Amino acid sequence: MMRNIKNYVRQVEFKIILKKNIIDIENYTDLGNISDKEIAVFNYNEKIIIRGYNLSISKLLNNELLITGKYNNIIFEGNNE
């Protein structure tokens, strides 16, 4: 419960919003592999790998990332609390 309160107050929850051909990610900490077929995104102990084709980063801010393209596979790795 305390983790949820801290995340709410500090707004550090790793959020992923999926829409058709758009992935909006909030509160990421780092980027890994970036290609038109795969993009890896990290937040502390969590990692997502997005696979598809024609993937590109169309918005890159300190805490928000917008990925466009046709995604067909999203893999979640890391902390499973």
Side-chain angles (χ1 to χ4, degrees), residues 32-67:
N33 183 41
I34 300 172
S35 74
D36 65 335
K37 294 182 175 47
E38 181 177 292
I39 298 176
V41 182
F42 299 88
N43 180 14
Y44 302 105
N45 295 329
E46 299 169 308
K47 174 183 177 182
I48 63 166
I49 301 170
I50 300 153
R51 292 189 178 138
Y53 57 96
N54 295 328
L55 297 176
S56 67
I57 297 173
S58 60
K59 180 166 76 170
L60 180 62
L61 301 173
N62 285 342
N63 65 344
E64 188 174 1
L65 175 68
L66 191 67
I67 298 170

Side-chain angles (χ1 to χ4, degrees), residues 1 3 11 17-18 51 53 59 61 65 77 79:
M1 183 171 157
R3 181 175 182 230
Q11 294 294 311
I17 301 166
L18 302 174
R51 292 189 178 138
Y53 57 96
K59 180 166 76 170
L61 301 173
L65 175 68
E77 296 178 353
N79 191 350

Side-chain angles (χ1 to χ4, degrees), residues 15-26 50 55 59 64-72 74:
K15 286 186 184 178
I16 303 165
I17 301 166
L18 302 174
K19 298 180 182 178
K20 184 177 181 181
N21 301 326
I22 296 173
I23 301 174
D24 187 12
I25 300 173
E26 295 178 10
I50 300 153
L55 297 176
K59 180 166 76 170
E64 188 174 1
L65 175 68
L66 191 67
I67 298 170
T68 57
K70 304 276 185 183
Y71 60 89
N72 55 24
I74 300 175

